């Protein structure tokens, strides 16, 4: 709705999609179809799927710091594996302006930002993860480096690069609009041709 609260909050739903994040970020996992993406916060689900699996699941719609999630998940079917959704190419401003009138087009989606720079020389991580600033010609957006990614505490690109990640959200107070973060899943999501 206009306050960023899911209109199906606390309802059970069934969805089909391709897993874009299994355990690369610890939790939650993410999946998407052609209409959008969603977080899945269920450890049994995360442990039993791999990125690229196409699954049909049911779960309860919940929200955690603005992020819409499915919990209490039941996997009905795994119809394939090796799916590879192409990331949606966006600019920083697109993510920053998401959530208008409660419509979060990009939350939970796999996206790519091209020709960005970051305000750090290393992906140093403390606690559960660390946020840095990605900048492109349109503006600046948060990038969240989770403690579980395979490139935590390694050098960051020293020049412009491209980045792939899922769009998460951390907005602790209503309205639950804003606080969007790009969350890369693995080292290959950082696409750099220049010096590291």
């Amino acid at each position: 709705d206009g306050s960023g609260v899911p209109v199906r909050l606390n309802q059970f739903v069934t969805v089909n999609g391709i897993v874009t994040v299994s355990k690369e970020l610890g939790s939650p996992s993410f999946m998407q179809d052609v209409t959008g993406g969603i977080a899945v916060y269920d450890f049994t689900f995360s442990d039993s799927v791999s990125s690229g699996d196409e699954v049909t699941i049911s779960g309860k719609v919940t929200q955690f710091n603005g992020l819409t999630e499915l919990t209490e998940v039941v996997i009905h079917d795994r119809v394939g594996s090796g799916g590879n959704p192409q990331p949606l190419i966006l600019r920083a401003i697109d993510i920053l302006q998401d959530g208008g009138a409660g419509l979060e087009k990009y939350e939970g989606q796999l996206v790519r930002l091209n020709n960005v720079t970051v305000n750090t020389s290393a992906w140093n991580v403390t606690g559960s993860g660390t946020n840095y600033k990605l900048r492109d010609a349109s503006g600046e957006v948060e990038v969240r480096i989770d403690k579980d990614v395979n490139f935590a505490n390694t050098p960051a690109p020293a020049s412009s690069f491209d980045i792939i990640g899922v769009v998460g959200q951390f907005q602790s107070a209503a309205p639950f609009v804003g606080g969007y973060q790009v969350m890369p899943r693995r080292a290959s999501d950082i696409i750099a041709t220049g010096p590291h």
Side-chain angles (χ1 to χ4, degrees):
D1 63 16
S3 296
V5 177
V7 295
R8 295 186 184 266
L9 189 66
N10 296 319
Q11 295 180 25
F12 283 86
V13 298
T14 299
V15 296
N16 173 267
I18 295 175
V19 176
T20 54
V21 177
S22 57
K23 294 192 299 187
E24 296 90 342
L25 305 175
S27 66
S29 298
F30 287 83
M31 61 185 287
Q32 71 180 56
D33 66 8
V34 296
T35 67
I38 193 162
V40 182
Y41 186 73
D42 184 286
F43 293 110
T44 301
F45 175 83
S46 298
D47 288 340
S48 61
V49 299
S50 298
S51 291
D53 287 354
E54 183 178 349
V55 295
T56 301
I57 66 172
S58 293
K60 183 179 182 180
V61 178
T62 62
Q63 189 177 51
F64 179 74
N65 287 313
L67 181 66
T68 300
E69 300 179 327
L70 294 181
T71 61
E72 302 176 39
V73 170
V74 174
I75 301 175
H76 298 293
D77 196 15
R78 187 183 323 237
V79 296
S81 62
N84 186 21
Q86 291 302 304
L88 186 61
I89 298 174
L90 299 177
R91 301 166 301 150
I93 191 98
D94 299 322
I95 297 170
L96 290 172
Q97 293 179 345
D98 201 18
L103 177 61
E104 295 176 315
K105 296 183 288 190
Y106 307 126
E107 182 187 290
Q109 288 256 40
L110 191 63
V111 302
R112 177 173 177 153
L113 283 76
N114 292 327
N115 199 27
V116 298
T117 56
V118 68
N119 67 334
T120 185
S121 60
W123 302 117
N124 293 327
V125 176
T126 57
S128 63
T130 303
N131 286 19
Y132 295 101
K133 302 281 189 189
L134 286 178
R135 174 170 283 284
D136 66 13
S138 72
E140 197 172 74
V141 67
E142 297 277 327
V143 60
R144 173 91 177 158
I145 306 302
D146 189 272
K147 69 176 178 57
D148 292 307
V149 297
N150 66 359
F151 63 94
N153 301 309
T154 66
S159 58
S160 63
F161 60 101
D162 301 344
I163 188 168
I164 296 170
V166 291
V167 177
Q169 184 180 25
F170 193 89
Q171 182 73 22
S172 58
F176 297 105
V177 176
Y180 303 110
Q181 307 169 333
V182 176
M183 301 187 301
R185 307 158 296 170
R186 57 186 71 97
S188 59
D189 283 342
I190 311 296
I191 305 159
T193 56
H196 285 271

